[in-house]
Amino acid sequence: MAVRPQAEKRTRAPAAAKAGAKPSKAQQNPVNYQVADFSKDEELKAYHDMLLIRRFEEKAGQLYGMGLIGGFCHLYIGQEAVVVGIQMCLREGADQNTTSYRDHGHMLACGMDPKGVMAELTGRKGGYSKGKGGSMHMFSKEKQFFGGHGIVGAQVPIGAGLALANQYRGNDNVSVVYFGDGAANQGQVYETFNMAQLWKLPVIFVIENNRYAMGTSVSRASAQTDFAKRGDAFNIPAEQVDGMDVRAVKAAAERATEWCRTGNGPYILEVQTYRYRGHSMSDPAKYRSKDEVQKMRDERDPIEQVRKRLIDNGWATEDDLKAVDKDVRAVVTEAADFASSDPEPDVSELWTDILI
Amino acid sequence: MAIDILMPALSPTMEEGKLAKWSKKVGDVVKSGDVIAEIETDKATMEVEAVDEGEIVEILVPEGTEGVKVNAVIARIAGEGSSAKPAPAPEAASAPAPAAAPATVAAAPVAVVVAADPAIPAGTAYVPMTVREALREAMAEEMRSDGDVFIMGEEVAEYQGAYKITQGLLQEFGPRRVVDTPITEHGFAGIAVGAAFGGLKPIVEFMTFNFAMQAIDHIINSAAKTLYMSGGQMGCSIVFRGPNGAAARVGAQHSQDYAAWYSQIPGLKVVMPYTAADAKGLLKAAIRDPNPVIFLENEILYGQTFDVPKLDDFVLPIGKARIHKPGKDVTIVSFGIGMTYAVKAAAELAGLGIDAEVIDLRTIRPMDLPTVIESVKKTGRLVTIEEGWPQGSVGDYIANRVSREAFDYLDAPVITIAGKDVPMPYAANLEKLALPTVAEVVEAVRAVTYR
Ligand SMILES: Cc1ncc(C[n+]2csc(CCOP(=O)(O)OP(=O)(O)O)c2C)c(N)n1
Ligand SMILES: [Mg+2]
């Protein structure tokens, strides 16, 4: 099964990224707050992409409040730096992304159309799944986005399976699979870790540790709260990353993608992040204090950090950033308008897409 | 240009709430993410965050106001600069009316009148109670009387239950007997089965039965088969319970009805109550039962109110159907939430001069076929209703048995009504079409009664 991808070797491959190499010290010692130096363009891009997710999610929350979105709606506010930082190292439309139900941000980062995403949230014809999937279940073959999974942990072996397909074909695409701290306790995650390392599958396991699984804090559900160690038994290299700093996420993702593309097998990133909103819309969030949330927002906000650097470096003025916000709001408003005026799917759609 | 701030809905079923507190006042400038108010519903207090930015120019609903309708304008802010997008309200107004909740969701609790149950002594007093409260009481009573009974599952303890069924149990029984688990269904179901082999009586709550698919190997291979494989030595007194079937707009992976699946398994008992009284009496029986019992609840029924007998120890027999409404023209058989269609259809049919007998199976395995067959012998006609899929449905099994055991009494082919043969769609219009309807039941009854 251990088919090596016939990937061309990169010239700037890190020392550890040679086929069969041992992970470096930094990778074994899982505390990594190293950051990538961002150019002005990178800072501006990160700012824009994170702001788009935030404004989109705020709007989704509002549409939910108006009864336009039903069922569950899991917002990504606070975690924006995770997908944005990782996506900066991926090839859009070639590398695969798979995640849980908390998926709106991932789809926007993959380059999916905000109108199509929002229209799926409202269950309309123009949604990515024609309104049949809903907020938890969206897919885009074009953008290589493989869902949107409602069953906690189920996306993990699926992401590894996509990596198997890459390896089988001999291309050097990587599959990135995101899952939560809660999902990290599911048995199928460890079955997948074993096979991924055994077969050297080019998959990056991104554990989005936002400290809570619904109302359960990490320490109440996990015997080993250091998720970067979860791959130790399988010898999978892992890093713990500051997920509120998009530069740190990008730097780690660079090492991880390099490692995977050059045929070394899987890589684990435990990205430490935080969700500001409730688990879903009707979560009264009594399991944490308001102060805890406020402190995170005030001191660690991923968007605010970039904003401050842009201003401090003289790379943007307040007015420049206001203009970015205005553009982003226009995109989101257009998405919301579309999602609330687009018709529901035709009733004949009830019976389509069950078998090919 | 002023932007309207609307009273938000915090859940798909919320229609109004109390504006408990304003965190901002007129003149304050708000930005996205600022908490502007707190609202209260029957379940929780929640914060409302600003989405649009600008100065609050008007507060239209004072704090402390009860019964504020969802989507009512509660305040206005002046947008920053003239380019700010105005009120989102027109967007909503231009949208096709979103079905806030499918027809099956009863907005207000309705007290349902139930025919007298022969298992309940005459002269018993009744108290109105929601299905949620009934389930909680059943567990609390059994935990008080038997120290071997304990509950485990996701969010059952500190969070007080994802659907608040276990509310207060941690406070009364402590963490030894009310155990929060990680999200590892296969693992904790197996651990619970092992504990049952060891003589304890676990109640395993699945946050929903959709997630029990992760654990179904232990439910069937370990819990259901071991008594047989051990030649009768090793019993497994365990209850697997939780909401089953479709809720509202939660999509294909969260809406499956497992009644037919589990009803196939020898070594299991399968209970699926409709009323609060049955929920209480049968859950108590399930906890006491020395066998593995699958107890299928329903999220939409949790908030519905029924009369529950006021008895110190109210236990109902597993495996006995209940005649919900006697009648002579047609037999309608259902169970769980399927009963909501049956009950409404029976009322409509009465208007058409058709007197339906409605049977609530309550237990799907072992199934009380004698009660069904007895009724069919009287009416000569049978319609079954369930929300699960048609092929291999519970109704199919009933139809088969009735056609073998009461063939000579049938005056029309049996009609089995089920959910449509599709995964549950998310879109509001399609979701409605995927579930059975009262109209389908009425139509089926008219077909079998030739009226
Ligand atoms: C198998 C399974 N069990 C339970 C659930 C219910 N559930 C949905 S999300 C969730 C918490 C998951 O937390 P985590 O993995 O940390 O992800 P986060 O929501 O924090 O992004 C639970 C228990 C589910 N969807 N699937
Ligand atoms: Mg989490």
Side-chain angles (χ1 to χ4, degrees):
Chain A
M1 204 59 232
V3 188
R4 288 254 182 272
Q6 292 126 29
E8 117 192 33
K9 287 268 178 304
R10 299 295 186 83
T11 43
R12 211 180 44 80
K18 280 192 237 96
K22 284 255 150 44
S24 73
K25 261 262 147 53
Q27 287 154 347
Q28 281 173 331
N29 173 15
V31 183
N32 216 323
Y33 292 93
Q34 264 175 274
V35 297
D37 277 333
F38 268 20
S39 66
K40 175 182 166 186
D41 285 351
E42 283 174 316
E43 293 278 31
L44 280 169
K45 181 172 165 42
Y47 184 74
H48 172 274
D49 292 358
M50 290 195 288
L51 200 63
L52 175 64
I53 296 174
R54 177 145 320 169
R55 295 285 177 255
F56 182 95
E57 293 293 64
E58 287 165 351
K59 187 56 99 179
Q62 193 181 40
L63 296 187
Y64 191 96
M66 291 158 69
L68 285 161
I69 297 173
F72 296 123
C73 183
H74 309 87
L75 302 182
Y76 196 62
I77 297 174
Q79 302 183 213
E80 297 91 344
V82 183
V83 280
V84 167
I86 287 172
Q87 193 63 35
M88 287 173 110
C89 303
L90 300 185
R91 304 168 184 160
E92 192 174 300
D95 294 328
Q96 298 91 356
N97 279 296
T98 315
T99 188
S100 69
Y101 44 82
R102 198 179 300 287
D103 54 358
H104 317 160
H106 302 70
M107 293 186 276
L108 297 177
C110 283
M112 287 167 67
D113 179 4
K115 280 176 20 198
V117 178
M118 198 69 98
E120 191 60 40
L121 299 190
T122 54
R124 305 303 169 90
K125 191 174 159 213
Y128 266 96
S129 305
K130 307 177 194 163
K132 290 154 77 166
S135 91
M136 300 190 286
H137 311 299
M138 260 181 269
F139 305 81
S140 165
K141 205 146 193 201
E142 184 205 348
K143 298 295 181 189
Q144 291 287 289
F145 180 76
F146 288 86
H149 296 266
I151 302 302
V152 167
Q155 70 272 32
V156 180
I158 290 170
L162 289 160
L164 188 141
N166 291 336
Q167 187 192 59
Y168 190 94
R169 294 215 169 85
N171 64 38
D172 69 345
N173 293 336
V174 301
S175 166
V176 181
V177 57
Y178 296 85
F179 53 104
D181 47 279
N185 292 322
Q186 281 284 29
Q188 57 183 316
V189 171
Y190 300 92
E191 299 178 21
T192 304
F193 280 4
N194 183 46
M195 286 180 273
Q197 178 71 329
L198 188 66
W199 298 337
K200 296 279 183 271
L201 301 179
V203 52
I204 303 175
F205 298 107
V206 181
I207 303 172
E208 292 197 65
N209 178 0
N210 61 9
R211 301 198 199 172
Y212 296 90
M214 223 170 240
T216 305
S217 65
V218 159
S219 60
R220 292 207 302 114
S222 291
Q224 171 56 274
T225 57
D226 194 341
F227 291 97
K229 287 195 182 143
R230 295 286 183 102
D232 281 3
F234 308 93
N235 300 319
I236 303 176
E239 295 185 41
Q240 212 162 38
V241 185
D242 174 4
M244 302 307 275
D245 185 342
V246 67
R247 299 168 308 168
V249 177
K250 193 211 168 204
E254 235 160 42
R255 290 186 290 273
T257 46
E258 193 71 46
W259 179 263
C260 289
R261 284 198 211 288
T262 47
N264 296 293
Y267 205 96
I268 293 171
L269 297 177
E270 179 204 333
V271 186
Q272 298 180 330
T273 180
Y274 198 76
R275 99 173 126 65
Y276 293 178
R277 293 290 191 95
H279 168 74
S280 179
M281 298 305 293
S282 41
D283 170 9
K286 292 209 175 113
Y287 46 84
R288 61 184 185 186
S289 69
K290 283 182 190 168
D291 285 354
E292 180 184 303
V293 183
Q294 200 53 46
K295 198 165 147 52
M296 210 57 170
R297 289 188 137 165
D298 291 346
E299 295 171 11
R300 311 278 303 124
D301 186 72
I303 299 177
E304 208 42 48
Q305 290 188 41
V306 181
R307 176 193 167 79
K308 186 167 182 311
R309 285 197 302 272
L310 280 165
I311 302 280
D312 291 353
N313 285 332
W315 284 347
T317 63
E318 292 283 357
D319 281 347
D320 294 338
L321 297 182
K322 265 205 179 124
V324 174
D325 194 33
K326 199 176 143 196
D327 288 350
V328 163
R329 280 180 189 273
V331 169
V332 168
T333 302
E334 192 194 1
D337 287 346
F338 175 71
S340 38
S341 59
D342 193 42
E344 291 186 312
D346 189 83
V347 293
S348 64
E349 287 292 351
L350 183 65
W351 298 101
T352 62
D353 308 317
I354 296 157
L355 288 172
I356 289 171
Chain B
M1 207 180 290
I3 302 171
D4 291 342
I5 298 178
L6 308 180
M7 178 74 173
L10 302 175
S11 74
T13 45
M14 172 173 160
E15 292 180 347
E16 57 177 45
K18 174 179 174 185
L19 206 161
K21 182 169 171 265
W22 279 105
S23 317
K24 300 278 173 190
K25 53 187 188 318
V26 172
D28 286 353
V29 173
V30 295
K31 48 180 191 18
S32 296
D34 285 355
V35 173
I36 50 175
E38 279 177 18
I39 59 182
E40 261 172 45
T41 67
D42 52 343
K43 270 201 230 153
T45 302
M46 302 268 300
E47 291 172 342
V48 183
E49 291 181 6
V51 174
D52 297 291
E53 317 205 323
E55 184 189 324
I56 298 192
V57 289
E58 210 179 340
I59 284 181
L60 294 129
V61 177
E63 62 181 33
T65 310
E66 309 247 10
V68 184
K69 293 265 177 287
V70 163
N71 279 342
V73 180
I74 53 173
R76 289 208 173 86
I77 58 179
E80 259 188 22
S82 55
S83 60
K85 173 85 179 122
E91 293 167 21
S94 69
T104 49
V105 179
V110 277
V112 178
V113 185
V114 178
D117 189 328
I120 301 165
T124 301
Y126 287 82
V127 276
M129 195 182 282
T130 62
V131 171
R132 175 181 282 114
E133 289 159 348
L135 292 167
R136 188 186 302 142
E137 276 201 358
M139 289 192 287
E141 287 176 17
E142 292 307 298
M143 287 175 79
R144 272 173 218 136
S145 65
D146 185 345
D148 286 341
V149 179
F150 72 101
I151 175 154
M152 67 195 289
E154 292 157 22
E155 309 287 7
V156 298
E158 293 202 13
Y159 197 78
Q160 306 289 302
Y163 297 101
K164 301 286 171 272
I165 308 301
T166 54
Q167 194 159 40
L169 296 187
L170 173 69
Q171 284 63 28
E172 180 174 351
F173 299 102
R176 177 171 162 266
R177 299 183 67 196
V178 186
V179 184
D180 276 327
T181 65
I183 311 166
T184 57
E185 290 83 1
H186 190 205
F188 70 69
I191 285 179
V193 170
F197 288 167
L200 299 182
K201 296 176 184 165
I203 303 169
V204 175
E205 174 174 308
F206 290 114
M207 194 175 282
T208 80
F209 259 92
N210 301 284
F211 315 141
M213 270 210 278
Q214 304 280 314
I216 201 164
D217 181 66
H218 274 308
I219 297 173
I220 295 174
N221 268 326
S222 309
K225 297 180 185 171
T226 299
L227 183 67
Y228 196 80
M229 295 189 298
S230 66
Q233 295 178 68
M234 202 74 81
C236 183
S237 180
I238 191 167
V239 177
F240 298 102
R241 53 154 289 271
N244 167 65
R249 310 282 312 275
V250 291
Q253 292 186 331
H254 282 68
S255 301
Q256 199 168 325
D257 174 9
Y258 292 89
W261 278 39
Y262 289 110
S263 82
Q264 236 244 326
I265 310 300
L268 292 181
K269 293 188 178 180
V270 183
V271 177
M272 188 155 158
Y274 162 52
T275 67
D278 289 346
K280 183 170 181 191
L282 288 168
L283 183 53
K284 281 167 66 83
I287 295 167
R288 291 180 194 184
D289 200 287
N291 298 291
V293 181
I294 305 290
F295 199 90
L296 302 170
E297 303 159 8
N298 185 284
E299 190 191 329
I300 291 163
L301 292 178
Y302 280 155
Q304 297 199 7
T305 301
F306 299 82
D307 286 338
V308 175
K310 212 173 156 189
L311 295 168
D312 284 346
D313 190 22
F314 171 56
V315 186
L316 286 169
I318 291 179
K320 275 248 147 290
R322 180 173 48 75
I323 296 176
H324 189 88
K325 171 193 171 299
K328 59 181 189 346
D329 296 334
V330 60
T331 302
I332 300 177
V333 174
S334 194
F335 46 90
I337 190 153
M339 284 296 293
T340 57
Y341 307 99
V343 169
K344 284 185 199 142
E348 232 174 85
L349 289 163
L352 299 171
I354 301 174
D355 183 17
E357 176 145 301
V358 180
I359 296 179
D360 182 352
L361 277 184
R362 305 195 287 191
T363 303
I364 302 166
R365 183 186 190 94
M367 194 185 286
D368 185 1
L369 281 164
T371 295
V372 176
I373 287 166
E374 210 45 48
S375 172
V376 172
K377 283 182 178 171
K378 184 172 67 177
T379 64
R381 285 131 171 128
L382 175 62
V383 171
T384 68
I385 311 163
E386 67 202 285
E387 284 194 347
W389 288 310
Q391 184 166 335
S393 65
V394 174
D396 275 8
Y397 177 69
I398 299 172
N400 172 288
R401 293 293 298 266
V402 166
S403 64
R404 273 180 10 204
E405 290 167 43
F407 185 75
D408 291 342
Y409 296 87
L410 282 174
D411 293 323
V414 177
I415 296 185
T416 59
I417 294 175
K420 305 301 177 295
D421 201 11
V422 303
M424 185 62 73
Y426 166 73
N429 63 333
L430 300 186
E431 189 187 56
K432 249 185 247 161
L433 294 171
L435 291 165
T437 60
V438 174
E440 279 171 2
V441 182
V442 171
E443 200 184 312
V445 168
R446 296 181 71 170
V448 297
T449 52
Y450 309 106
R451 294 210 231 176

